[in-house]
Amino acid sequence: MTVTKAAQTANQAFVLHPGGTFAFEERSKPTLQSDRDVIVRVMATGLCGSDVHYWQHGRIGPYVVEDPIILGHESTGIVVESGSGAAGLAVGDRVALEPGIACNTCNHCRNGRYNLCRGCASPRHHLTTAHSLPTTAYPQNAVSSSHPTYPCATDKSVAIFGAGPVGLLCCAVARAFGASTVIAVDVVPARLASAVKYGATHTYQMSTEAADKNAADLLAMAGLDDGVDIALDATGAEPCLNCGILALTQGGTFVQVGLGKPNPSVPVGQICDKEIVFKGSFRYGPGDFKLAIGLLDSRRIRLDGLVTHEFPFGQAEDAFKNVAGRGGIKSVIYGPNVDEEEAKASSV
C-alpha cells in the first residue's frame, strides 16, 4: 500500500537545504496515482538521530544532501483520501508510515530483503507504505515503535549500549522476546534510570576506563561469568562497540545499530577468537512494522513516557536543536495545523 503525505489545506513542508539551513515552504498537494493509493494527513513525526546528522553534516555515508529535502521518516497520520483498491484502509483510519518504496525487481527485493534496495533507502521519497494502527496507540508514541532486526533472545542475556530512544526500545523488545537478562549501558545516569522502566534488568554506567575494564566490570555487575549472549550497540561510539565485543561470550552475536565514525577501530582478533556473529542493521525490514504494532497492541511493550518533548510545526527547528543537545528521550513534531489535543483525540 503506497501513500503520499499531505496536510488538510495548504501542503506545508519543513525543508532542509544544502548547507544546513531550514525553510518553511509549500509543496503541491498530492493526488492519488492509482486506486491502491491513499493520501495521509501527517499528525506527528518523531525525530531520529539520522535527521540531525543530515542537518549538521549534510550526509550519512553515501547519502548526501545535494538538493532540498524534507526530513522525517517516523510519521503517523490519518487517511484523508482513499482509492477504491486500497484494501484495509479507509478515510479516517490512523496509520504509521514506513517511508520508501522498493523497486520490487532487484535481487534484494526478490529475496525478501527490500530494506536493502537502493531505491528504498533514499531519503527523498514522498511515497511510503501505510500500516494501520491499533486504537491503543497514540500517534506520537507509535512513531517510535519500529526496531532493528533482532536475533532470538529467548532466555538469553542481552547488553544494549545506548539508552536513547532506540536503545530503550531494544530493551523493551528484548524482554518481550524472552531475554532473561537485559543490561542497559550508557554514560548518562538519568537515561539508565529510564531503561529500568522499559525492561532493563541491570544498568551499567560506562566509565573512561579502557574497553576491557568496562567489559569486565559490566559482566561482574550482572553476574555473567561467561559473557553476554547478545550485544547491540545503538550509539555508534567506538568505546561502546569495543566493550560490547569484549563482553560477548564465545559464539555470541553483535548487532551494530547506531552510526558513528565511518571507520572505527574494531578488535577483529576477538571476533575471530570467539567466532562472533557480527551483524549490521539497516533501517527496518520485512515484518518489522507489523511486529512492532502487534507488540504495542498486545501491551507487551508500553511506550508511556518515551516521548518527552513535543513541538508544534512552527517550532520544528527548535526540535532539531533539542535532539542535537540530547534533551530528554524522544522529540516529536506535530504536523501542520495540528495541536497536541487533536493528535491525541485522533487515537480514540
Side-chain angles (χ1 to χ4, degrees):
M1 189 70 62
T2 57
V3 53
T4 43
K5 298 184 280 187
Q8 270 191 332
T9 54
N11 202 19
Q12 298 173 295
F14 184 63
V15 182
L16 173 66
H17 288 261
T21 59
F22 287 116
F24 290 98
E25 301 176 7
E26 286 195 3
R27 293 289 189 266
S28 58
K29 188 174 180 179
T31 57
L32 297 175
Q33 300 299 302
S34 79
D35 63 359
R36 297 180 62 247
D37 293 346
V38 296
I39 295 177
V40 170
R41 180 191 181 197
V42 172
M43 300 297 289
T45 298
L47 275 187
C48 174
S50 63
D51 296 319
V52 175
H53 212 79
Y54 278 121
W55 168 45
Q56 293 186 327
H57 304 286
R59 67 182 301 157
I60 297 179
Y63 309 109
V64 182
V65 180
E66 298 176 323
D67 302 299
I69 62 171
I70 301 172
L71 294 176
H73 54 270
E74 300 178 357
S75 295
T76 60
I78 298 174
V79 176
V80 295
E81 192 172 345
S82 177
S84 59
L89 290 177
V91 172
D93 285 352
R94 299 175 321 110
V95 292
L97 305 181
E98 179 181 354
I101 291 295
C103 71
N104 295 321
T105 59
C106 70
N107 287 334
H108 297 304
C109 288
R110 288 172 181 252
N111 289 325
R113 302 183 71 186
Y114 67 81
N115 58 307
L116 299 182
C117 175
R118 291 295 88 183
C120 190
S122 170
R124 295 172 175 80
H125 279 293
H126 66 284
L127 294 174
T128 104
T129 301
H131 301 269
S132 292
L133 285 174
T135 57
T136 54
Y138 283 124
Q140 67 268 41
N141 282 341
V143 296
S144 304
S145 63
S146 59
H147 58 86
T149 302
Y150 227 108
C152 180
T154 303
D155 203 29
K156 299 288 181 66
S157 56
V158 184
I160 297 164
F161 291 81
V166 172
L168 294 178
L169 287 172
C170 286
C171 288
V173 172
R175 288 294 282 170
F177 282 4
S180 57
T181 302
V182 177
I183 309 165
V185 185
D186 206 293
V187 296
V188 181
R191 288 198 164 189
L192 292 176
S194 295
V196 176
K197 303 174 185 177
Y198 295 98
T201 60
H202 300 74
T203 62
Y204 177 76
Q205 186 175 353
M206 283 278 287
S207 72
T208 56
E209 299 281 353
D212 56 352
K213 178 66 164 60
N214 271 296
D217 290 347
L218 182 157
L219 296 177
M221 176 275 303
L224 298 172
D225 296 334
D226 296 329
V228 295
D229 298 306
I230 301 166
L232 296 95
D233 175 41
T235 70
E238 187 175 294
C240 292
L241 192 158
N242 287 309
C243 180
I245 291 174
L246 293 168
L248 274 176
T249 188
Q250 306 292 110
T253 299
F254 186 95
V255 183
Q256 187 62 44
V257 182
L259 296 175
K261 294 194 304 184
N263 296 297
S265 174
V266 178
V268 176
Q270 285 286 305
I271 295 175
C272 295
D273 182 64
K274 296 180 180 180
E275 288 201 359
I276 288 171
V277 176
F278 193 108
K279 298 183 67 176
S281 177
F282 186 68
R283 338 176 52 236
Y284 13 74
D288 279 351
F289 265 74
K290 181 179 180 180
L291 174 61
I293 292 171
L295 289 172
L296 284 176
D297 197 23
S298 67
R299 299 285 184 166
R300 293 175 66 191
I301 285 183
R302 302 293 294 268
L303 301 182
D304 302 342
L306 189 70
V307 175
T308 56
H309 290 77
E310 302 168 14
F311 296 85
F313 186 73
Q315 296 176 14
E317 187 167 353
D318 291 337
F320 273 79
K321 292 176 180 177
N322 184 65
V323 174
R326 298 192 176 187
I329 301 176
K330 190 69 179 180
S331 293
V332 163
I333 303 171
Y334 289 117
N337 304 312
V338 174
D339 59 26
E340 180 182 357
E341 287 71 24
E342 185 180 14
K344 290 183 177 179
S346 70
S347 67
V348 177

